Amino acid sequence: MANSNTNLTTPTKTPSSRRNQQSQSKMQSQSKDPVNAESRSRFEAYNRLQAAAVAFGEKLPIPEIVAIGGQSDGKSSLLEALLGFRFNVREVEMGTRRPLILQMVHDLSALEPRCRFQDEDSDEYGSPIVSATAVADVIRSRTEALLKKTKTAVSPKPIVMRAEYAHCPNLTIIDTPGFVLKAKKGEPETTPDEILSMVKSLASPPHRILLFLQQSSVEWCSSLWLDAVREIDSSFRRTIVVVSKFDNRLKEFSDRGEVDRYLSASGYLGENTRPYFVALPKDRSTVSNDEFRRQISQVDTEVIRHLREGVKGGFDEEKFRSYIGFGSLRDFLESELQKRYKEAAPATLALLEQRCSEVTDDILRMDMKLQATSDVAHLRKAAMLYTASISNHVGALIDGAANPAPEQWGKTTEEERGESGIGSWPGVGVNIKPPNAILKLYGGAAFERVIHEFRCAAYSIECPPVSREKVANILLAHAGRGGGRGVTEASAEIARTAARSWLAPLLDTACDRLAFVLGSLFEIALERNLNQNSEYEKKTENMDGYVGFHAAVRNCYSRFVKNLAKQCKQLVRHHLDSVTSPYSMACYENDYHQGGAFGTYNKFNQASGNSFCFELSDTSRDEPMKDQENIPPEKNNGQETTPGKGGESHITVPETPSPDQPCEIGYGVIKKEIGNGPDGVGARKRMARMVGNRNIEPFRVQNGGLMFGADNGMKSSSAYSEICSSAAQHFARIREVLVERSVTSTLNSGFLTPCRESLVVTLGLDLFAVSDDKFMDMFVAPGAVEALQNERQQLQKRQKILQSCLTEFRTVARSL
């Protein structure tokens, strides 16, 4: 054990001059080797392609090595060893903030390392930097500047450094932030999760090789980050495992079996995974680059010597010798990357040809846009075709098109109410839920559902209760004018007033809801147009990018729908005014075709003339009841109160064909159930029976006036009850005529017909019936031409770089 400890001391012996001469002659012979020259040209081609990919955000499957591991696991020291010189990378903590792409170029002419950084957002490299301190300063300043700009603790945007040196291999390695368990003081608590997510994103592409480092003092069974690697590469097929700081573990080995078991890592990494075991100099004092490389080589020698001489029985050299030491790892990484480059060259060449073709097409489209800024006729034609296409899609959606998917673009009844901001129907105290309310609909289907919902809301409203004073004012005024239909006309006037007050808000709400349904079709029409263009690869009328034009089309369409809503409100209000006019026969049709109580009223009125009045006050009420004059009559089978106005109301909702419920109930059945049908009302039938009873004396003249007599048990309040009942019948008749004969057809013709027939004309007049200067304002905003020209220049630059890479890879492919 004493011997083993002695062998672990940091070596300081300088290699002989003969060894240096052999190394230099070996490098010179490699430079003359055509195979090495081929590898170098292939490596240079991939380096330039990688620089272009980073600068322009290209997603190219370039074989790359991604170094991952926990903080303090030795990634930074390994990178410095691969570079062949130190630049204090650990002091700037580059791996904890931004990824660093190290492009190492083996250049025999670079006796001193030359480091150049790629400019941010460009493929150009800056001037060479020789000082190691300056290299560290650039990494630090760039990291701090970006994090300050983005206001984050870490950033996935990489720093690209190209290092040319006679003592570094041809390698490209991406150094990533080290995994941490807890954020440092002053950092956000989410920093560990952000680092883990960033590293997984960088290591996930299948063309990248994972270089996973874990220090030897950690057992595989208790590894903190091995599971994270398995999530990225479960079978370790593209993972190179490196056990760092191997010299710390050597003193624990006593015999060959123990060493071989440890080196095999059996049971944790699988049979086909062989880790590399690396130890590097611990001395961090400032030394020359030659001394640094000498120390690396000496540590490798000391590790092998200890395994041979310090361990009883040594170790299985045939099986494990090629996996021990930094030199073995370096040779493997270089050969593995060259192998991956060679395998990926054909696919990379094909992808470059595709990207060059795509960028060329982008430049052609940009040229067309630039030309269009001065070609008004071309823009007018393209804009007209685009507007006509959108209008046609709106018409198709109204007529029942189901593309795009209604599940994504449609709305339920509740969603329509919420998004429109309209809410429930005014004056309706019950929740109106039409059939298909839970289905996501749009276009003509949603329009029809709102129409049906309006009918349900209208039929749920009854004639509201009226005070005795109001009835007396209306009735006596009509009787005083000498009319022969005083009772009927008074009831009709009450019904007309109630209809104007209660049905008008419903009509306005219906128009607003229908306007919202049609207004929502614009976005769906845009999506439908985009899908159709993609399906048929139409690119001649591509209007993408013209924000001003799209905004103008959207505004014109919105204005068109608002105008339709305004016109429809005027039309349905006109129908309401007509049906509630004193000259309308809606209130009297049943009286002309049917007998009944009020037929008797009319006969009596004609005989009596103006020499009477009606007694409507309730003489049976006690004095304390005066404050409750406006309480409606008790509910009977012929009359119902308004929903939400005097008690709970139960309505039968009309149904339309529905996927989820059968519908065979007509509106006639509904109106019978509500009690408002024209065929008969309980109050009228009861009054007819009362008048037909010869044993009852319904009317008596007292003191020159007429009252409903109290003989035979009849109360004076029956006049008020019968007038309210008659008003409710008239109200139901007005509602039926309005809903069934007028409003529904008006809403359909007022909204849908213009959308089908005049939308494209209206949009065309608004957008294109203007001067050329005003028309071009939608397309050429201030600075737009300059922006297009700048974008074209960037595309040209990208095309030039990609074309250069393509030419280079064609040369590489011919040499394979």
Side-chain angles (χ1 to χ4, degrees):
M1 292 300 293
N3 262 342
S4 72
N5 289 339
T6 303
N7 292 334
L8 286 174
T9 57
T10 304
T12 58
K13 188 176 179 180
T14 305
S16 65
S17 58
R18 182 179 176 183
R19 183 173 179 178
N20 283 336
Q21 291 174 359
Q22 289 176 350
S23 178
Q24 290 179 2
S25 63
K26 182 181 178 182
M27 289 189 295
Q28 290 173 358
S29 63
Q30 286 177 348
S31 64
K32 295 177 182 178
D33 187 355
V35 176
N36 289 332
E38 174 190 321
S39 299
R40 178 185 171 88
S41 65
R42 187 161 55 239
F43 179 76
E44 289 284 359
Y46 271 106
N47 269 355
R48 277 186 281 276
L49 183 59
Q50 186 179 52
V54 172
F56 298 114
E58 293 282 356
K59 301 297 183 182
L60 300 174
I62 304 170
E64 296 161 325
I65 298 174
V66 181
I68 63 177
Q71 275 193 347
S72 304
D73 280 348
K75 286 192 291 88
S76 301
S77 297
L78 180 63
L79 291 178
E80 288 182 334
L82 288 169
L83 284 167
F85 66 95
R86 283 177 172 161
F87 59 95
N88 299 323
V89 65
R90 293 190 296 183
E91 278 69 19
V92 298
E93 297 180 344
M94 69 172 183
T96 63
R97 294 295 182 269
R98 292 179 66 177
L100 176 68
I101 299 178
L102 278 175
Q103 297 174 338
M104 306 178 200
V105 180
H106 178 67
D107 187 351
L108 291 176
S109 65
L111 300 180
E112 293 294 332
R114 294 192 300 262
C115 299
R116 293 185 297 162
F117 287 90
Q118 183 179 341
D119 296 336
E120 302 277 11
D121 303 317
S122 171
D123 65 324
E124 300 291 338
Y125 286 85
S127 302
I129 301 174
V130 178
S131 170
T133 304
V135 171
D137 290 340
V138 171
I139 295 175
R140 182 187 297 108
S141 61
R142 287 197 173 192
T143 300
E144 291 176 352
L146 180 64
L147 297 182
K148 184 177 180 180
K149 179 180 179 181
T150 58
K151 297 180 180 179
T152 56
V154 293
S155 172
K157 187 175 183 180
I159 298 173
V160 181
M161 187 181 88
R162 179 183 175 91
E164 301 168 351
Y165 194 30
H167 302 284
C168 74
N170 288 319
L171 279 179
T172 297
I173 293 184
I174 303 175
D175 184 35
T176 63
F179 299 128
V180 293
L181 291 174
K182 187 177 181 181
K184 295 169 61 176
K185 186 176 181 180
E187 291 183 346
E189 293 296 328
T190 58
T191 299
D193 294 333
E194 292 177 9
I195 291 175
L196 181 60
S197 176
M198 181 201 306
V199 173
K200 285 183 178 180
S201 176
L202 289 169
S204 293
H207 60 271
R208 287 179 170 166
I209 305 168
L210 276 62
L211 186 65
F212 172 56
L213 275 74
Q214 178 172 280
Q215 53 185 307
S216 62
S217 59
V218 178
E219 299 294 339
W220 294 114
C221 60
S222 58
S223 173
L224 293 175
W225 311 117
L226 192 60
D227 290 339
V229 177
R230 281 200 175 98
E231 290 179 13
I232 303 171
D233 180 23
S234 58
S235 61
F236 291 96
R237 299 186 64 176
R238 56 186 182 92
T239 300
I240 302 170
V241 180
V242 177
V243 177
S244 61
K245 304 179 182 181
F246 183 51
D247 51 344
N248 293 338
R249 190 68 182 252
L250 289 178
K251 59 183 179 181
E252 299 181 10
F253 300 136
S254 58
D255 56 42
R256 176 169 179 161
E258 187 178 354
V259 173
D260 289 348
R261 281 194 302 272
Y262 178 79
L263 296 178
S264 65
S266 59
Y268 294 100
L269 302 180
E271 293 298 327
N272 299 323
T273 302
R274 294 285 177 83
Y276 282 82
F277 300 88
V278 175
L280 294 170
K282 292 184 172 63
D283 186 9
R284 294 301 301 177
S285 61
T286 303
V287 296
S288 66
N289 294 334
D290 290 340
E291 175 63 17
F292 176 56
R293 293 190 300 275
R294 186 200 65 76
Q295 290 179 1
I296 293 174
S297 178
Q298 186 65 23
V299 170
D300 277 356
T301 302
E302 294 292 341
V303 168
I304 294 297
R305 181 184 301 159
H306 178 82
L307 289 174
R308 288 173 179 169
E309 302 173 4
V311 177
K312 184 178 179 180
F315 71 106
D316 189 345
E317 292 199 38
E318 182 180 354
K319 188 175 182 179
F320 299 114
R321 174 64 183 86
S322 59
Y323 295 95
I324 297 175
F326 168 77
S328 299
L329 176 63
R330 167 181 159 154
D331 293 342
F332 174 77
L333 290 177
E334 191 170 11
S335 63
E336 182 67 16
L337 193 59
Q338 288 296 333
K339 175 186 172 183
R340 298 292 182 100
Y341 282 163
K342 189 173 182 178
E343 293 173 351
T348 304
L349 178 62
L351 184 61
L352 275 173
E353 291 177 343
Q354 176 186 342
R355 288 297 299 128
C356 286
S357 177
E358 292 173 353
V359 172
T360 301
D361 291 342
D362 290 340
I363 291 176
L364 290 176
R365 282 194 290 271
M366 190 61 62
D367 288 339
M368 292 176 62
K369 284 188 176 183
L370 284 170
Q371 181 184 0
T373 57
S374 58
D375 189 349
V376 181
H378 172 81
L379 266 183
R380 281 186 178 273
K381 178 182 177 181
M384 287 179 179
L385 290 174
Y386 182 84
T387 305
S389 177
I390 296 299
S391 301
N392 291 336
H393 286 307
V394 171
L397 292 167
I398 289 175
D399 290 338
N403 180 36
E407 297 85 355
Q408 179 182 357
W409 294 90
K411 293 180 178 64
T412 64
T413 295
E414 286 299 322
E415 289 172 344
E416 279 182 11
R417 293 172 181 170
E419 295 181 23
S420 64
I422 297 172
S424 60
W425 296 89
V428 177
V430 294
N431 183 24
I432 302 298
K433 189 175 182 181
N436 308 309
I438 62 173
L439 298 183
K440 290 182 176 289
L441 305 179
Y442 59 58
F447 188 95
E448 182 62 27
R449 184 174 63 187
V450 174
I451 290 287
H452 189 78
E453 188 180 351
F454 160 72
R455 296 168 109 170
C456 295
Y459 279 114
S460 70
I461 290 183
E462 299 297 325
C463 185
V466 185
S467 67
R468 296 178 183 273
E469 285 76 5
K470 185 176 291 187
V471 171
N473 274 274
I474 296 173
L475 179 60
L476 297 178
H478 278 283
R481 292 200 297 267
R485 293 170 54 85
V487 173
T488 302
E489 290 178 356
S491 302
E493 180 62 27
I494 293 172
R496 285 193 290 265
T497 302
R500 284 191 292 267
S501 174
W502 288 83
L503 297 181
L506 286 184
L507 297 175
D508 289 345
T509 300
C511 292
D512 291 335
R513 282 282 302 278
L514 294 174
F516 174 77
V517 169
L518 294 182
S520 302
L521 290 185
F522 186 79
E523 294 293 342
I524 305 175
L526 290 179
E527 179 67 16
R528 182 180 169 86
N529 184 69
L530 180 63
N531 292 342
Q532 188 180 66
N533 286 347
S534 300
E535 181 179 355
Y536 297 102
E537 297 183 355
K538 293 182 180 179
K539 296 183 179 179
T540 52
E541 294 91 30
N542 185 4
M543 302 300 290
D544 292 346
Y546 295 119
V547 178
F549 170 70
H550 282 283
V553 176
R554 187 185 300 272
N555 289 336
C556 288
Y557 181 81
S558 177
R559 189 162 54 249
F560 174 79
V561 173
K562 287 181 180 179
N563 288 337
L564 289 184
K566 183 178 180 180
Q567 294 170 9
C568 284
K569 284 182 180 180
Q570 293 175 348
L571 288 174
V572 294
R573 281 299 186 96
H574 173 73
H575 287 301
L576 179 61
D577 292 341
S578 298
V579 79
T580 56
S581 168
Y583 304 101
S584 172
M585 298 304 297
C587 289
Y588 308 119
E589 286 185 8
N590 292 342
D591 294 327
Y592 285 125
H593 298 292
Q594 301 176 15
F598 289 98
T600 306
Y601 285 166
N602 293 337
K603 293 176 183 178
F604 183 81
N605 289 340
Q606 291 173 1
S608 303
N610 294 335
S611 60
F612 60 87
C613 68
F614 294 101
E615 173 60 53
L616 297 175
S617 59
D618 189 354
T619 57
S620 65
R621 290 180 299 175
D622 296 329
E623 194 67 22
M625 295 294 290
K626 287 184 178 181
D627 291 337
Q628 301 183 23
E629 285 271 338
N630 294 338
I631 295 179
E634 293 182 3
K635 184 175 178 181
N636 54 50
N637 294 332
Q639 183 177 352
E640 293 186 6
T641 60
T642 307
K645 296 293 182 179
E648 184 177 358
S649 174
H650 300 278
I651 65 168
T652 301
V653 179
E655 297 188 17
T656 53
S658 168
D660 51 7
Q661 54 183 306
C663 178
E664 298 179 358
I665 303 176
Y667 281 98
V669 176
I670 297 159
K671 287 174 281 184
K672 275 188 176 183
E673 291 181 0
I674 296 177
N676 295 322
D679 296 333
V681 179
R684 178 179 298 176
K685 291 180 179 179
R686 288 195 305 274
M687 190 63 193
R689 289 194 297 269
M690 290 166 59
V691 174
N693 191 339
R694 295 180 180 180
N695 298 324
I696 299 175
E697 185 183 354
F699 305 106
R700 176 181 296 175
V701 177
Q702 293 181 351
N703 300 325
L706 181 67
M707 61 174 286
F708 286 92
D711 294 352
N712 298 325
M714 292 185 64
K715 296 182 179 180
S716 61
S717 62
S718 61
Y720 171 68
S721 301
E722 295 299 340
I723 290 174
C724 288
S725 176
S726 178
Q729 296 172 47
H730 292 325
F731 179 88
R733 183 61 182 166
I734 292 172
R735 180 184 59 193
E736 178 188 1
V737 171
L738 187 69
V739 173
E740 301 298 334
R741 301 184 187 179
S742 305
V743 172
T744 304
S745 59
T746 298
L747 292 177
N748 275 278
S749 60
F751 276 107
L752 301 186
T753 302
C755 285
R756 294 189 183 102
E757 298 178 357
S758 60
L759 174 59
V760 64
V761 176
T762 303
L763 296 183
L765 289 174
D766 288 345
L767 294 171
F768 310 123
V770 294
S771 64
D772 288 345
D773 291 339
K774 187 173 182 180
F775 174 78
M776 291 301 294
D777 287 343
M778 294 186 293
F779 297 90
V780 185
V785 175
E786 290 78 3
L788 291 175
Q789 289 174 343
N790 291 335
E791 187 175 351
R792 188 183 185 280
Q793 289 177 359
Q794 289 296 321
L795 286 173
Q796 282 183 319
K797 191 173 183 180
R798 177 179 295 193
Q799 182 190 41
K800 181 180 178 180
I801 294 294
L802 291 176
Q803 192 65 45
S804 173
C805 292
L806 176 61
T807 303
E808 198 167 7
F809 267 87
R810 282 174 177 167
T811 304
V812 170
R814 283 193 293 268
S815 67
L816 293 177

